[in-house]
Structures are given as C-alpha cells and as structure tokens.
Amino acid sequence: MYAIVDIAGKQFKVTQDQFIYTPSLEGEEGASVVFDKVLLVDNDGKVKVGAPTVSGAQVSGKILSHLKDDKVIVFKKKRRKGYKKQNGHRQGLTKVLIENIK
C-alpha cells in the first residue's frame, strides 16, 4: 500500500514505516502530524485517484528531527568588472516517519 501526498507544495510517494525528508514543518520532535492532501492511494492494486484529493484519506506521521540539508554555494561573477559575490544556503528539513495510511 502506498500513497502520493502533497506536503508543503511538494509531492511524495510514501509507504508505511518509511522515513521522508520534507521541507520544514511546524511542530516539536516527537509530535504527530496528519497530512490531508492525499492525491492517490493504491491498496493492493485498487487505485483511488483524487480530483484533486481523495476524500477521507489521511496519512499520519511522526516528526523525528529537524535538520539542515547540504550546503549549496551560489557564486555570481561579472567578467572584467571586478564583481564577485559568493553566498551559501542550507535549506531546513524535517525528518518524518510515516506511521499509517488510511
């Protein structure tokens, strides 16, 4: 059984007892979260496709930790002008354990 869920504007294919890294979510570590925007549910070959979401379907999970992604270096340069600028960015992530798909 798997589901496709919209979490913070991104779509994830999730199964039970799976870890996913989502964009930063509100909540403390150990708190439970429920995702209502379920776009598709596959239950042993029986597929339900939502228009746009499947009514009554929910995916519940548990927040395990908040962390940061790998650093991305942003380097800008204009040749022959003496202009160089370098920035780094680390996106915030939340590690979520998928507990149940209803």
Side-chain angles (χ1 to χ4, degrees), residues 1 22 30 45 51 55 58 78 88 91:
M1 177 178 209
T22 66
S55 62
Q58 289 183 345
K78 294 186 181 179
Q91 187 69 35

Side-chain angles (χ1 to χ4, degrees), residues 17-91:
D17 299 328
Q18 176 187 5
F19 298 106
I20 59 172
Y21 293 94
T22 66
S24 291
L25 299 174
E26 299 274 332
E28 298 180 12
E29 295 180 5
S32 61
V33 290
V34 176
F35 304 112
D36 293 333
K37 292 184 180 179
V38 180
L39 306 175
L40 182 139
V41 175
D42 182 3
N43 189 2
D44 299 328
K46 299 175 187 171
V47 179
K48 291 183 184 177
V49 179
T53 60
V54 179
S55 62
Q58 289 183 345
V59 174
S60 60
K62 181 179 180 181
I63 295 176
L64 297 179
S65 64
H66 296 286
L67 49 122
K68 289 188 176 184
D69 201 4
D70 294 334
K71 183 176 275 192
V72 176
I73 302 297
V74 180
F75 183 74
K76 299 177 183 179
K77 179 180 179 182
K78 294 186 181 179
R79 57 189 191 141
R80 297 187 298 271
K81 307 295 181 193
Y83 172 79
K84 290 190 283 186
K85 183 170 281 225
Q86 181 175 356
N87 282 323
H89 176 75
R90 293 185 71 187
Q91 187 69 35

